Amino acid sequence: MSQGTSLRPARRLARLTVNRETQEVLVAPSESLLETLRDGLRLTGTKRGCDTGDCGACTVLVDGAPVVSCLALSLNLEGRSITTVEGLAQNGRLTPLQQAFIDSGAVQCGFCTPGMLMSATALLAEERSPSEAAIRDAIAGNLCRCTGYIKIVEAIQAAAHQGAPNASLVS
Amino acid sequence: MESAIESSAQKGVIGSRVGRLTDGYEKVTGVARYGADIEHANCLAGMVLRSEHPHARLRSIDTRRAEALPGVKAVITAADAPQVLHGFTVHDQTIIARERVRYVGEPVAAVAAVDKATASEALRLIRVEYEPLPAVFTPHDALRSDAPLLHPNFAAYESKVPLNRYGNVCCHAKITNGEVARGFDRSAVIIENTFKTPHVHFGYIEPHAVSAAVDGRGFLTVWTSTQAPFVARAALSHTLKLPMHQVRVIGTAIGGGFGGKVELLDEPLAALLAIKARRAVRIEMSMLEDFHVAQARHASEITLKAGISSDGMLQAFEGTVIMDTGAYAGFGPHTTSQAMVLLGSPYRVPHLRFEGFAVLTNKLNCGALRAPGGPQAALACESTIDMLAEKIGMDPFEVRLKNAKRSGDTTPTGCELRAVALEQTLRAAAERFDWRRAVQRPSNGKLRGKGMACGIWGGSGYGAGATVRVNEDGTATVFTGAVETGAGSTIVATQIVAEELGLGVEDVHVVCGDTESTPFDMGAIGSRTTVSTGQALRQAAVDAKRKILQEAAEQLETRLDDLELRGRQVLVKGVPSRAVPLREITTTLTMKHGGPVMGLGACVMELPGFDAATYESHTLPSKPWFTFGTQMVEVEVDPASGDVEIIRFVAAHDVGRAINPVGIEGQIHGAVTLALGQAFSEQLVFQQGRLMNPNFLDYRMPTALETPHIETIIIEAADEESAYGVKGVGEPPVPPVIPAIANAIYNATGARILELPLSPERVWLALQKVAR
Ligand code: FES
Ligand code: FES
């Protein structure tokens, strides 16, 4: 019990690369990437839904691949490139995918949106014009209770027609 | 896919297709702040100790060891809370258990500590001595004369509406029209069936989160992911005994509500902790907690006896509605009353008699899940219509058309129905779906069939206020107490104000959901926002416009009637050369003459008259508006597995006037999909009052892999009582979904299923019975 005020287990400094910036952050051994992002780095765009890997709201990209951050341990991710929803737009410019979500009405409450965007970004980096089935497959792990997924699928299709999103994200 | 809109009305900003212009940017960039994202200096982590027993006396709670733990800043129990009862209709509940717990998950104590780990350790150190009491878990057990009582002193509870209450029944309602015996005498066919539906969870992806802080004077501010900040403020003021001006509730961005974030959740506990610790406190529920305490959709059992004449005219309905409302009355009297009205509302039934029982059991409290009472009533009513149609050899479409309510008809409680478009939705859906076409029988051994169902839904009223401020430069800032739940209320507000002031949507900004800086609004409940808040917004914009045009008339020395506001200019009709930029007028008003431009709007949608002789102990004899819809579905059933796949889904709904078709389509898609979950898989499973599937792995909601395309048809049958003729659309698409599918499964297989969910297992078992 350090300083007699907290029961947090001993933490250590980890070097994490998030949204192309490498930072040192104190991390407990059992800490999930979701906790580190939200509580340690104050990047609250990544959402905590279930915290058990079942809803996809916390999805981020690790070296370009979608990962549910509530199940990933931060200390395992040193040296990897982590991208969160805050890292999609650059210099205030939205990616075509983000813009398509706005234009198509693919956002309602928006709680699933960060995770959806990350899953879809990974898909569009792999496949330039994915089929509807491939899109639905890519977001199958992201629950949305508001939209019935229809406008989300349409937004991803619309973004695909405009070409791949910012490729540097998923290098 | 764009929906077909059946209207030839000219459209301006109102009626145009608008994306997420208000909240979209912040939601796609991760900037939007939801309940758990609000930051405070020095914020403590709050956690709640919840009952592990479905029914027990609280003998003692010892918090001394928790309080002594370093890092713990406050511990509260019922002893720290004012002795106040609250509740939606019946005041039967405390904010933290006092003397007794009545369901697993009920708050017993709460702590605030420097971090979550310390708070959770503190919870572990609290010793609660429970004395388990006999419990009841089903309405049938609860209704027995020797059943243990959940609330032995229920008679002392205050109720906002006089209700027949006894034993474990918190509302026994009745509706009678005509004489059912006579109706059954005239019937060629009489059938009677019992339909059952389980508890259903809201399924929002954001678990509830709240933070609270007090200032030097002891004034309280609460940031909460709520659908209704003013409801929360009233409830906090009532339960904490604080005057309203000392309580500020700020609605954060909200990760889905669907009726689950209306009544108090952890708000009063966060407030009490903050008051005691004199520091900001945040409580974030885990999903596990949220499953245990969020008010579910009522489990129901509805028995419906119905008679029809050989020419296809409905003669009589007689029914019993039983709602399992859980440990407190909650929304039970409303859901029960509402289901009874809905059962008898889509069609003309001259003779009917319904009894309804909201029954208390030792399970979580039930609430107002998107269209409460709707799917339960629709499953019974719409399955029954199909069964009757088959017995008299008539197409179910024809039976519905023959008996459909028309404008001027009434609900069973005598509430008049205006601008009824049931027939229009039936015809539009049938045309799009091509109802008369025979279903193709596939060659893969699977079975295909089609089904339809109609639905009625009534919206809520209550007060709504709005303020429109036209700034010096002619742009507008709008203030409304209605929070943006994601349903698009801020987009609609932008469109209304832009339309009235002749502005572009980019010229309008909406501030919402803060009880200190925005006018009262009842909140995002009962599909009411576009109707009620919309009315207030229009009034406020028109008020502001009047002030602008009055000033312009003076300056231009013309009559007010000759002026119009368009394209950020004040125009003299017919004299284009005399246009004045709006900003000149508003700058003058603000700085020199007349005063800053503020428009005020306020509305309460009036309740239509009703017939008090038709009912007893009923909470909802009237609603300010109703709307109708029709859905048609084609399914493919795999007889080997019982799997049901949706091949086609058509939904036709009357919205009065489509302000933003994109938003309406989104509402229909979401409502239908939510109901598909209940149709096929969703149910809260209890064993001895304990929830067996409190997570998204075991509680299966539809994913992108199971959800169909939904073809939407928007009907515009304007309601002359509301601004622009609008009716709400958030809930109306929910009720018909499940019966349409049940009817289609029957059409495909010959198996009539009366109980939800229509899981592969249940469908397969039903198929085995048909085969025999
Ligand atoms: S929060 Fe990680 S999957 Fe739900
Ligand atoms: S937009 Fe609300 S959960 Fe997807």
Side-chain angles (χ1 to χ4, degrees):
Chain A
M1 262 197 272
S2 58
Q3 297 142 24
T5 56
S6 167
L7 287 178
R8 272 185 104 121
R11 296 185 286 173
R12 80 160 169 86
L13 269 185
R15 282 173 67 80
L16 292 179
T17 305
V18 180
N19 300 333
R20 299 170 294 277
E21 221 177 278
T22 301
Q23 324 187 29
E24 298 207 319
V25 53
L26 271 175
V27 172
S30 62
E31 193 169 311
S32 69
L33 176 59
L34 178 63
E35 280 180 275
T36 308
L37 289 172
R38 289 185 56 86
D39 302 339
L41 296 170
R42 306 263 152 145
L43 288 169
T44 53
T46 302
K47 297 298 170 218
R48 182 178 65 88
C50 61
D51 219 9
T52 50
D54 302 317
C55 76
C58 66
T59 305
V60 299
L61 300 184
V62 174
D63 295 337
V67 165
V68 281
S69 63
C70 66
L71 296 186
L73 285 180
S74 296
L75 287 180
N76 288 345
L77 296 171
E78 286 181 293
R80 315 281 293 274
S81 169
I82 298 159
T83 309
T84 71
V85 67
E86 289 94 340
L88 289 178
Q90 288 187 35
N91 305 321
R93 282 203 42 199
L94 301 182
T95 64
L97 183 68
Q98 287 173 306
Q99 191 62 51
F101 265 60
I102 295 177
D103 296 342
S104 314
V107 178
Q108 285 191 30
C109 82
F111 204 76
C112 69
T113 304
M116 286 285 181
L117 287 169
M118 302 324 284
S119 295
T121 297
L123 170 73
L124 293 181
E126 294 256 308
E127 274 183 70
R128 266 183 179 272
S129 48
S131 64
E132 180 180 341
I135 292 173
R136 287 184 175 268
D137 216 44
I139 60 168
N142 296 84
L143 289 176
C144 175
R145 191 60 153 176
C146 299
T147 65
Y149 305 98
I150 295 169
K151 289 185 185 293
I152 293 176
V153 171
E154 285 171 8
I156 298 170
Q157 283 168 330
H161 287 140
Q162 295 171 45
N166 196 323
S168 73
L169 288 175
V170 285
S171 58
Chain B
M1 195 193 293
E2 294 193 10
S3 52
I5 298 185
E6 301 225 326
S7 163
S8 55
Q10 274 294 310
K11 299 285 164 70
V13 180
I14 293 223
S16 58
R17 298 183 65 83
V18 181
R20 293 311 291 202
L21 61 93
T22 50
D23 56 349
Y25 182 86
E26 58 186 35
K27 286 177 177 174
V28 300
T29 52
V31 173
R33 294 275 174 263
Y34 295 80
D37 303 335
I38 307 293
E39 297 214 16
H40 304 283
N42 244 339
C43 190
L44 299 172
M47 280 193 181
V48 182
L49 186 69
R50 303 184 188 275
S51 169
E52 290 157 21
H53 294 268
H55 201 188
R57 210 182 305 283
L58 284 173
R59 295 177 72 101
S60 67
I61 306 180
D62 183 351
T63 58
R64 282 169 300 180
R65 287 177 65 209
E67 278 158 15
L69 184 70
V72 172
K73 302 296 178 187
V75 181
I76 56 162
T77 65
D80 297 274
Q83 291 219 26
V84 175
L85 291 167
H86 73 104
F88 190 84
T89 307
V90 182
H91 288 190
D92 58 359
Q93 206 167 350
T94 53
I95 53 175
I96 187 163
R98 193 177 280 279
E99 288 158 23
R100 198 189 264 247
V101 289
R102 296 183 175 89
Y103 69 94
V104 172
E106 184 158 14
V108 168
V111 302
V114 289
D115 54 37
K116 289 181 191 168
T118 310
S120 116
E121 174 65 10
L123 289 189
R124 220 179 49 78
L125 294 175
I126 296 175
R127 286 279 164 268
V128 185
E129 211 187 316
Y130 294 99
E131 177 192 325
L133 294 168
V136 285
F137 301 119
T138 66
H140 285 282
D141 288 346
L143 288 170
R144 288 164 46 156
S145 57
D146 60 345
L149 293 182
L150 273 85
H151 297 265
N153 53 344
F154 71 89
Y157 296 151
E158 191 185 315
S159 173
K160 291 180 198 163
V161 183
L163 297 176
N164 294 335
R165 293 182 281 150
Y166 51 85
N168 287 316
V169 176
C170 61
C171 171
H172 176 179
K174 294 180 187 169
I175 298 179
T176 311
N177 292 177
E179 289 170 52
V180 280
R182 212 187 300 166
F184 286 125
D185 280 348
R186 291 189 184 155
S187 302
V189 170
I190 298 172
I191 57 169
E192 181 171 352
N193 292 285
T194 298
F195 302 84
K196 291 183 192 168
T197 70
H199 285 92
V200 175
H201 179 58
F202 292 94
Y204 40 66
I205 315 297
E206 178 208 31
H208 182 249
V210 55
S211 51
V214 279
D215 71 7
R217 292 185 297 174
F219 287 20
L220 175 69
T221 302
V222 173
W223 295 258
T224 173
S225 54
T226 181
Q227 294 170 243
F230 285 90
V231 172
R233 183 184 66 162
L236 285 167
S237 160
H238 172 71
T239 54
L240 303 179
K241 291 194 163 176
L242 291 170
M244 284 189 183
H245 72 293
Q246 294 187 17
V247 182
R248 177 182 191 181
V249 176
I250 300 177
T252 65
I254 165 170
F258 316 114
K261 293 171 183 166
V262 178
E263 300 212 37
L264 289 179
L265 287 157
D266 284 342
E267 290 94 341
L269 306 181
L272 283 176
L273 287 169
I275 290 168
K276 194 162 184 185
R278 295 260 142 207
R279 270 170 75 170
V281 175
R282 174 166 49 238
I283 304 180
E284 295 176 46
M285 274 191 201
S286 66
M287 196 56 89
L288 181 75
E289 284 179 283
D290 202 305
F291 262 95
H292 277 91
V293 305
Q295 301 187 333
R297 189 187 290 293
H298 289 83
S300 74
E301 186 180 306
I302 297 183
T303 301
L304 185 60
K305 179 177 170 187
I308 194 167
S309 58
S310 50
D311 61 349
M313 300 308 292
L314 295 170
Q315 298 299 329
F317 272 9
E318 186 172 23
T320 308
V321 172
I322 298 173
M323 293 286 170
D324 180 349
T325 198
Y328 297 93
F331 213 72
H334 259 42
T335 305
T336 307
S337 298
Q338 189 142 270
M340 292 162 72
V341 167
L342 298 176
L343 261 182
S345 284
Y347 309 106
R348 293 172 171 165
V349 186
H351 305 281
L352 54 81
R353 185 164 70 212
F354 298 139
E355 284 199 69
F357 302 85
V359 185
L360 298 159
T361 60
N362 290 107
K363 298 202 296 284
L364 51 76
N365 199 194
C366 290
L369 204 167
R370 201 170 192 170
Q376 297 98 321
L379 175 65
C381 176
E382 297 294 317
S383 302
T384 297
I385 296 290
D386 264 42
M387 287 187 255
L388 290 172
E390 188 188 28
K391 286 242 185 313
I392 59 166
M394 206 177 262
D395 189 298
F397 175 78
E398 297 300 334
V399 172
R400 285 180 170 85
L401 209 55
K402 265 184 170 237
N403 293 279
K405 286 263 169 82
R406 310 282 199 274
S407 296
D409 286 342
T410 60
T411 70
T413 47
C415 173
E416 194 184 321
L417 297 164
R418 301 183 305 267
V420 173
L422 176 54
E423 179 178 346
Q424 230 176 313
T425 65
L426 264 164
R427 292 192 189 279
E431 193 189 339
R432 170 75 77 86
F433 188 85
D434 200 356
W435 177 256
R436 305 215 169 276
R437 183 184 48 92
V439 170
Q440 298 274 326
R441 302 286 161 191
S443 53
N444 57 5
K446 295 188 182 171
L447 306 166
R448 280 204 185 184
K450 63 182 177 183
M452 70 160 73
C454 298
I456 176 174
W457 187 252
S460 299
Y462 311 111
T467 312
V468 171
R469 209 167 69 189
V470 185
N471 303 308
E472 301 94 288
D473 65 355
T475 60
T477 310
V478 179
F479 299 84
T480 159
V483 283
E484 174 60 85
T485 57
S489 63
T490 49
I491 302 170
V492 165
T494 302
Q495 288 176 279
I496 289 175
V497 173
E499 172 90 19
E500 295 300 336
L501 294 178
L503 299 173
V505 287
E506 65 284 1
D507 299 324
V508 180
H509 173 59
V510 181
V511 178
C512 65
D514 174 354
T515 62
E516 198 149 290
S517 62
T518 64
F520 180 92
D521 189 282
M522 191 65 179
I525 57 172
S527 303
R528 64 179 286 287
T529 310
T530 302
V531 181
S532 295
T533 315
Q535 183 106 298
L537 285 159
R538 172 148 95 162
Q539 239 181 52
V542 167
D543 189 31
K545 177 170 158 179
R546 187 180 45 80
K547 290 173 179 166
I548 292 164
L549 293 186
Q550 268 167 2
E551 173 64 22
E554 248 177 74
Q555 280 188 25
L556 292 165
E557 297 179 343
T558 61
R559 292 195 7 244
L560 200 85
D561 294 349
D562 291 336
L563 297 176
E564 59 181 333
L565 206 47
R566 191 147 44 83
R568 302 177 191 88
Q569 291 191 309
V570 180
L571 304 166
V572 182
K573 288 177 196 157
V575 196
S577 59
R578 295 191 65 201
V580 187
L582 172 60
R583 79 183 122 73
E584 275 181 26
I585 307 287
T586 49
T587 301
T588 305
L589 277 165
T590 307
M591 300 299 184
K592 291 187 198 146
H593 179 248
V597 188
M598 295 194 299
L600 296 183
C603 116
V604 172
M605 291 294 290
E606 300 278 336
L607 293 175
F610 49 89
D611 181 357
T614 56
Y615 67 86
E616 244 180 77
S617 178
H618 187 284
T619 63
L620 286 167
S622 180
K623 288 195 132 193
W625 53 268
F626 285 87
T627 187
F628 292 82
T630 300
Q631 297 174 356
M632 295 186 179
V633 58
E634 182 172 336
V635 299
E636 183 173 285
V637 181
D638 183 344
S641 65
D643 250 328
V644 178
E645 194 188 331
I646 291 182
I647 304 299
R648 199 160 174 222
F649 201 108
V650 171
H653 291 278
D654 169 26
V655 302
R657 175 85 186 267
I659 295 196
N660 178 14
V662 177
I664 290 166
E665 290 156 12
Q667 287 303 299
I668 297 175
H669 294 161
V672 168
T673 306
L674 181 132
L676 288 174
Q678 180 176 5
F680 291 122
S681 60
E682 292 181 35
Q683 62 175 330
L684 291 171
V685 179
F686 292 92
Q687 262 177 31
Q688 298 293 304
R690 271 166 234 282
L691 189 52
M692 294 290 108
N693 57 341
N695 59 70
F696 288 145
L697 191 60
D698 300 315
Y699 183 90
R700 299 303 284 185
M701 306 201 306
T703 73
L705 294 179
E706 294 103 39
T707 41
H709 280 283
I710 297 160
E711 299 170 46
T712 55
I713 303 171
I714 299 175
I715 308 285
E716 296 185 307
D719 178 357
E720 70 277 10
E721 299 287 319
S722 76
Y724 313 106
V726 296
K727 301 167 189 172
V729 69
E731 292 165 301
V734 172
V737 176
I738 298 168
I741 291 166
N743 287 338
I745 292 175
Y746 176 79
N747 182 254
T749 66
R752 171 61 65 184
I753 306 178
L754 307 175
E755 188 172 353
L756 299 184
L758 304 166
S759 57
E761 183 187 10
R762 182 165 281 132
V763 172
W764 187 85
L765 284 170
L767 285 177
Q768 306 318 300
K769 284 205 196 122
V770 175
R772 263 192 267 127

